[in-house]
């Protein structure tokens, strides 16, 4: 009787898959470039083309930066769905399922690599915003709060996109499902105040995940206190993260039971 291989101990598997995903990211420089260039182009478009009409005082850039940052995070995280679906198509996931690894190890590799990519992209976007006139009033602790909120949001949606990649039948389908989620920030307070929206749309914009997250970031960057928005932002991010992790683990394990 052949002995089963011993399970991989510690975080060895996660480290290996993070390194693998980072290597793939460096080889796929176009995706990383687009994750940075597209949000920057949108920020230039909104501030320089539409900004004068929306806010003639020139302060629209301070309002819109948090929304552009979350949009940047969404674009960057969405590529994870395609990467995971690509692993499914090539049979990589099926080979990993036969190994004595934790179900979440391969997803963790994709997610951590995406988190690092997106934090880099976020830094570039904020740097460009400063050139365009963005003037935050946050102190050191508020900046740490901004970074923590953005990182938690990236972590949550990246795990969600990774689970979508496992559920989708192909990279094309995964990208299509992910593209739908990228519209959520537009239906929030990311780009315009909720009060300016039609009455039937205001409840949708007010009670969806992105609004408290973007309001938390906006308040911290302006040097203020986010209040209950921070509580709701944390609750939404943790809720999405828990659902995505459980769903992803179930989808990964389902292949072993076939």
């Amino acid at each position: 009787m052949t002995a089963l291989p011993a399970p991989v101990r510690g975080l060895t598997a996660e480290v290996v898959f993070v390194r693998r995903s980072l290597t793939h990211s460096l080889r796929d420089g176009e995706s990383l470039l687009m994750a940075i260039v597209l949000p920057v182009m949108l920020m230039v478009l909104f501030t320089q083309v539409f900004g004068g009409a929306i806010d003639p005082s020139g302060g629209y850039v301070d309002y819109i930066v948090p929304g552009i940052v979350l949009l940047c995070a969404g674009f960057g995280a969405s590529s994870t769905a395609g990467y995971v679906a690509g692993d499914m198509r090539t049979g990589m996931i099926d080979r990993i399922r036969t190994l004595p690894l934790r179900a979440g190890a391969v997803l963790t590799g994709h997610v951590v690599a995406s988190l690092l990519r997106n934090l880099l992209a976020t830094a570039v976007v904020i740097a460009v915003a400063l050139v365009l006139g963005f003037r935050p009033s946050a102190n050191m602790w508020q900046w740490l709060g901004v970074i923590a909120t953005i990182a938690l949001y990236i972590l949550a949606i990246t795990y969600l996109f990774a689970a979508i990649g496992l559920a989708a039948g192909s990279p094309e389908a995964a990208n299509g499902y992910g593209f739908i989620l990228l519209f959520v920030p537009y239906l929030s307070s990311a780009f315009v105040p909720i009060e300016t929206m039609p009455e039937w749309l205001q409840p949708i914009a007010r009670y969806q995940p992105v609004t408290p997250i973007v309001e938390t970031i906006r308040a911290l960057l302006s040097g203020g206190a986010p209040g209950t928005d921070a509580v709701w932002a944390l609750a939404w991010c943790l809720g999405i993260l828990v659902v995505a992790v459980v769903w992803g683990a179930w989808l990964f394990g389902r292949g072993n039971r076939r």
Side-chain angles (χ1 to χ4, degrees):
M1 183 176 181
T2 304
L4 294 176
V8 177
R9 298 184 180 276
L11 298 176
T12 302
E14 283 79 0
V15 171
V16 170
F17 285 117
V18 168
R19 186 183 299 119
R20 171 181 177 266
S21 296
L22 287 175
T23 301
H24 285 180
S25 298
L26 293 175
R27 292 175 179 173
D28 187 17
E30 292 84 357
S31 296
L32 177 60
L33 183 63
M34 285 304 301
I36 299 173
V37 171
L38 188 55
V40 168
M41 291 175 62
L42 286 174
M43 182 165 58
V44 172
L45 178 66
F46 274 98
T47 58
Q48 304 302 306
V49 179
F50 303 143
I54 297 174
D55 184 0
S57 68
Y60 186 55
V61 64
D62 292 322
Y63 184 89
I64 200 176
V65 166
I68 294 293
V69 166
L70 295 189
L71 195 65
C72 170
F75 278 117
S78 65
S79 62
T80 304
Y83 288 141
V84 174
D87 282 346
M88 289 285 290
R89 170 177 283 182
T90 61
M92 181 67 182
I93 297 293
D94 289 332
R95 290 195 293 272
I96 293 171
R97 282 171 173 152
T98 64
L99 301 175
L101 301 174
R102 284 180 293 278
V106 61
L107 295 187
T108 299
H110 282 294
V111 169
V112 172
S114 174
L115 176 62
L116 296 176
R117 290 195 307 266
N118 281 296
L119 288 177
L120 173 63
T122 298
V124 173
V125 169
I126 291 177
V128 174
L130 291 172
V131 174
L132 293 176
F134 176 50
R135 295 297 179 264
S137 304
N139 59 32
M140 182 187 70
W141 297 109
Q142 289 165 331
W143 270 111
L144 289 176
V146 168
I147 295 170
T149 303
I150 294 172
L152 184 59
Y153 175 75
I154 293 172
L155 193 65
I157 61 171
T158 303
Y159 257 111
L160 180 59
F161 278 118
I164 289 173
L166 284 175
S170 66
E172 293 77 15
N175 290 330
Y177 298 144
F179 188 73
I180 295 174
L181 294 179
L182 296 179
F183 279 95
V184 175
Y186 293 104
L187 301 177
S188 72
S189 63
F191 300 101
V192 294
I194 293 176
E195 293 73 19
T196 64
M197 299 179 182
E199 289 188 6
W200 64 268
L201 186 58
Q202 290 183 19
I204 298 174
R206 183 170 287 112
Y207 300 113
Q208 57 118 314
V210 174
T211 292
I213 297 171
V214 77
E215 290 298 336
T216 297
I217 297 172
R218 184 174 288 133
L220 291 171
L221 286 174
S222 64
T228 57
D229 283 325
V231 178
W232 282 108
L234 180 63
W236 272 114
C237 287
L238 291 179
I240 295 171
L241 182 60
V242 169
V243 170
V245 169
V246 172
W247 185 30
W250 178 77
L251 288 170
F252 188 93
R254 186 179 61 172
N256 291 334
R257 296 191 292 270
R258 290 177 180 173

